[in-house]
Amino acid sequence: MNALLKRLPALMLLIGAITIMQSHAIEFWSQYTGKLGVVWSLMLEGAALWLWAQRSISRNLMALVASALVLTGPLYQVSAPAIAQWQQSTAQPELLHKREQQLQDQRATLTANLATYNANSESRIGWAGRIDDANQALASVNDQLHALYAEQAHTTPMPWQSLAVIVMQALALMLFQILIVLCIRAITAPVPKSSQQQQQPLAATGTAVDRAIQVVKHNAKAKKSQSAAA
């Protein structure tokens, strides 16, 4: 009984850690396996627990693989926002540079066209409309360039606070997975021989007491029978 009470904290920690891990793992597997995501997640967790409970090196190696698979889902769910934001922050400068190059090419083309229109208007009439259109297009391109330069100036990398929170969550998940392994190993550990030896004298004492009670009862019945015969 004492051995079971000593394992109760480990059991409570095991239940809590599995609950947290499965809340992330089920969401991850459901994204890729649909309605069977719950089954995938629980089967992996159950397989890992059973394999860790075995006192066999080969099965413990398989348990290590199963635990890694269980941990992959929660880690992905936690780090996915950081990965997306990092990809956006690294790709945005290149996209802005390409857009800037396109606008500069457009401005150069419009400037050359405008110069041609002005030169032609000196010798011939009918170029006023084209000149106005070119001026409007050139003004629009210049406005877009100014907006683009402003966006480039305000482009900031991923804030360290968000990254720190994600790193802490990832470390906590890895700690929970280690805790699950330690708890299941503690719960399924064989009972020490010292505890068994302590229980054996108690059982022997109880048996001796029962026998003594039976002897007393037998003697009492014998005395009663002798008294009745007399």
Side-chain angles (χ1 to χ4, degrees), residues 78-160:
V78 169
S79 60
I83 295 174
Q85 190 170 357
W86 176 78
Q87 290 176 342
Q88 182 179 2
S89 62
T90 54
Q92 188 175 12
E94 184 178 357
L95 294 175
L96 292 178
H97 178 71
K98 290 182 179 180
R99 179 59 178 163
E100 178 186 2
Q101 189 64 41
Q102 291 176 353
L103 290 174
Q104 288 179 350
D105 292 342
Q106 290 181 10
R107 183 170 64 175
T109 301
L110 290 172
T111 301
N113 291 338
L114 184 60
T116 302
Y117 298 157
N118 287 326
N120 292 336
S121 65
E122 293 177 359
S123 58
R124 289 177 292 178
I125 61 174
W127 292 92
R130 294 187 178 182
I131 293 175
D132 292 339
D133 293 340
N135 284 323
Q136 292 178 1
L138 184 60
S140 177
V141 170
N142 288 329
D143 292 340
Q144 293 180 47
L145 277 173
H146 290 313
L148 183 63
Y149 293 147
E151 185 177 355
Q152 288 176 337
H154 289 84
T155 300
T156 56
M158 181 179 179
W160 67 268

Side-chain angles (χ1 to χ4, degrees), residues 9 44 47 54 136 138 142 150 175 205 223 225:
L44 280 174
Q54 309 304 309
Q136 292 178 1
L138 184 60
N142 288 329
L175 178 62
T205 302
K223 287 180 180 180
S225 61

Side-chain angles (χ1 to χ4, degrees), residues 18-113:
I18 289 177
T19 301
I20 294 174
M21 294 292 291
Q22 287 302 307
S23 65
H24 295 285
I26 290 175
E27 183 179 357
F28 169 78
W29 288 107
S30 297
Q31 290 180 357
Y32 299 97
T33 60
K35 296 180 180 179
L36 293 177
V38 177
V39 179
W40 274 74
S41 182
L42 294 179
M43 284 295 294
L44 280 174
E45 188 70 66
L49 293 176
W50 184 81
L51 290 170
W52 279 119
Q54 309 304 309
R55 264 50 186 181
S56 169
I57 296 178
S58 59
R59 291 183 179 179
N60 290 160
L61 291 176
M62 295 173 63
L64 184 62
V65 176
S67 294
L69 291 174
V70 172
L71 183 61
T72 300
L75 284 179
Y76 178 84
Q77 289 298 116
V78 169
S79 60
I83 295 174
Q85 190 170 357
W86 176 78
Q87 290 176 342
Q88 182 179 2
S89 62
T90 54
Q92 188 175 12
E94 184 178 357
L95 294 175
L96 292 178
H97 178 71
K98 290 182 179 180
R99 179 59 178 163
E100 178 186 2
Q101 189 64 41
Q102 291 176 353
L103 290 174
Q104 288 179 350
D105 292 342
Q106 290 181 10
R107 183 170 64 175
T109 301
L110 290 172
T111 301
N113 291 338

